[in-house]
Amino acid sequence: MRSLWWCLMVVPIFFLLDFSNGESPYRFYTWNITYGDIYPLGVKQQGILINGQFPGPPIECVTNDNLIVSVFNNLDEPFLMSWDGIQQRRNSWQDGVYGTNCPIPPGQNFTYILQVKDQIGSFFYFPSLAMHKAAGGYGGVKIDSRPLIPVPFPPPAGEYTMLVGDWFKQNHTDLKAILDGGSDLPFPDGLLINGRGSNSLTFTVDQGRTYRFRISNVGLTTAINFRIQGHKMVLVEVEGTHTLQNTYESIDIHLGQSYSVLVTMDQPGQDYYIVASTRFTSQVLTATSILHYSNSAGSVSGPPPGGPTIEIDWSLNQARSVRQNLTASGPRPNPQGSYHYGLVNTTRTIRLANSAPMINGKQRYAVNSVSFIPADTPLKLADYFKIPGVFNLGSIQDNPTGGGGYLQTSVMAADFRAFVEVVFENPEDIVQSWHIDGHIFFVVGMDGGQWSPASRLNYNLRDGISRCTIQVYPKSWTALYMPLDNVGMWNIRSENWARQYLGQQFYLRVYSPANSWRDEYPIPKNALVCGRASGRSTRPL
């Protein structure tokens, strides 16, 4: 009896100790980054390959998984990998942009240690330095819900990731030289779907079944429209948020954005076009792939179905129809709408206007008149080691200045747990696309003309979509509500990569005075140090 009593006491304690602090699963990736010959548009180019692949290998994981990605840089120049839409909770050290990380030197290795904390959905990774993105090096990221967390649609019969974007026949080094010389990029030469030109890929499906397509615009300069011949698409997710399940014949996907749609194979058994085409361009580029029914009795015939081209109002109305599904669970078993963003008072309004000034005789791009120039030391390292002279807080204003452009390493100060209103204002004749690292935001309004405080009367304060990348139409504005719930140094950038490279970005320093692991993880012990931080030690543990 005494032995039995001891077992009954020890077993619960064992289970308590073993599982109460149990970690989420780990997934390990080893990536070898090399140059290699690729022919996406029929012309030999120098591409950036990951383990010999273009696009790179997919990351497939589950909410809260820990990802250990060991990157070996075998290029002849520095390299960084970033994770578009992965929030890096309390961990901007892993964000993979130059403002937070030292580049991986040629011939060296860096291991990213990140967690997809409280996230689901469709995202992608990409190389963030220089114009490396124009050479490939990108891939898809899929974060599934944990078991037993309800998903607001039946499991699909299969899934396909579609990485779509514009492409140039010139090598990335040539494109960089064009920008460094003070000129803008030429018009792209074509579109790619998963790294291939038209009709190079076939996606096989079974008649009568439903499939999920995860579509990301990984291009450099142009929005796209995506459609599947003869089929309707039901939108179910946008960058980690379940949406109202509206049905579309085609969907506009702006630079850096990701969408998930369900498509039911309810047509006669044959082959159909999958089509992507450029939006808001005078010359329309188109790329196609083949949707192949497994019982197909015939191949595709005739021209691919046309889509919208330059219609702004059509796109604006569609964007307004993308709403949050308030009854669906997100990463946790609670309705996504339980966070009533419309009932929280904003503490600050930040208005951000893009411009295209000429500075010192060269084309540059700016935010609130400031054209960003990289510092000699990553800003996060300079902040951590308290290195003076690298950047100044307040070097970009909260409102447009109305003046010309000037060069500055622009960093905006912000308080942890503030709730801010951000208004992107676009006085130019092009469509803009903006991304905010480390956060999601609620899209509360978008319209043409000039934003004013009276514009708030028409905000959607109930079911605005939450996401991390948003478009701003020509001579229009887009307004967001954003909780600053993630301490760190975070990049806010144009997703038009030429504009980003030539200064249309800045950093938001979200600061907590507590200096606690509760708010932010310490510097990784494997963190690279460079610039004025060279020779500094990270931490012993």
Side-chain angles (χ1 to χ4, degrees), residues 191-242:
L191 292 182
L192 303 184
I193 299 176
N194 288 356
R196 304 293 185 270
S198 284
N199 297 338
S200 299
L201 296 173
T202 298
F203 300 87
T204 300
V205 295
D206 293 332
Q207 190 175 35
R209 307 185 79 176
T210 298
Y211 292 78
R212 182 173 182 171
F213 290 82
R214 299 173 184 262
I215 315 145
S216 297
N217 185 340
V218 297
L220 299 176
T221 63
T222 54
I224 62 166
N225 180 266
F226 183 89
R227 52 200 180 273
I228 300 178
Q229 182 182 24
H231 293 73
K232 306 286 188 182
M233 298 181 291
V234 178
L235 183 64
V236 293
E237 177 252 332
V238 171
E239 293 159 25
T241 300
H242 291 305

Side-chain angles (χ1 to χ4, degrees), residues 239-502:
E239 293 159 25
T241 300
H242 291 305
T243 65
L244 288 182
Q245 294 181 12
N246 296 327
T247 300
Y248 302 95
E249 293 186 355
S250 69
I251 293 181
D252 279 354
I253 305 176
H254 297 264
L255 289 164
Q257 293 184 339
S258 298
Y259 285 72
S260 274
V261 298
L262 296 180
V263 183
T264 299
M265 306 306 153
D266 55 5
Q267 298 300 303
Q270 62 180 63
D271 292 355
Y272 299 88
Y273 283 112
I274 299 172
V275 187
S277 58
T278 56
R279 286 288 268 127
F280 320 115
T281 57
S282 55
Q283 176 187 349
V284 177
L285 301 175
T286 300
T288 56
S289 291
I290 305 300
L291 183 74
H292 171 69
Y293 276 43
S294 58
N295 63 340
S296 174
S299 60
V300 291
S301 60
T309 53
I310 60 173
E311 302 88 347
I312 298 291
D313 289 345
W314 185 96
S315 188
L316 174 62
N317 289 333
Q318 183 181 87
R320 287 170 170 164
S321 73
V322 178
R323 303 291 185 92
Q324 190 158 193
N325 186 338
L326 297 182
T327 62
S329 294
R332 298 174 299 278
N334 63 289
Q336 294 191 135
S338 62
Y339 184 88
H340 296 296
Y341 70 91
L343 301 179
V344 181
N345 292 326
T346 57
T347 55
R348 178 180 177 186
T349 296
I350 301 170
R351 295 170 52 210
L352 303 172
N354 49 270
S355 59
M358 297 293 292
I359 302 177
N360 299 328
K362 292 185 177 182
Q363 179 66 67
R364 297 286 301 186
Y365 297 98
V367 187
N368 287 359
S369 300
V370 186
S371 186
F372 182 86
I373 51 173
D376 59 8
T377 306
L379 309 178
K380 183 63 182 170
L381 286 180
D383 199 30
Y384 176 79
F385 289 118
K386 297 180 172 53
I387 301 172
V390 175
F391 70 90
N392 293 313
L393 292 174
S395 45
I396 180 171
Q397 301 301 310
D398 281 14
N399 296 285
T401 65
Y406 59 95
L407 303 176
Q408 181 76 44
T409 303
S410 40
V411 180
M412 182 179 289
D415 295 328
F416 181 45
R417 295 202 176 100
F419 191 74
V420 299
E421 175 186 40
V422 179
V423 183
F424 287 108
E425 301 179 10
N426 180 14
E428 297 184 72
D429 291 325
I430 67 160
V431 177
Q432 277 279 36
S433 188
W434 288 95
H435 178 86
I436 300 179
D437 277 353
H439 295 81
I440 62 166
F441 48 72
F442 299 89
V443 183
V444 296
M446 55 176 62
D447 207 349
Q450 179 66 45
W451 180 88
S452 73
S455 303
R456 298 181 179 128
L457 297 175
N458 295 316
Y459 279 4
N460 175 5
L461 299 182
R462 181 177 182 272
D463 62 352
I465 192 68
S466 58
R467 61 189 312 173
C468 58
T469 308
I470 192 62
Q471 71 271 25
V472 191
Y473 293 100
K475 300 191 182 302
S476 300
W477 55 268
T478 296
L480 325 169
Y481 280 180
M482 186 169 72
L484 298 181
D485 57 359
N486 201 7
V487 173
M489 186 76 70
W490 302 108
N491 190 222
I492 298 180
R493 62 176 176 268
S494 170
E495 285 288 274
N496 181 311
W497 214 243
R499 284 178 166 254
Q500 177 273 152
Y501 180 76
L502 291 179

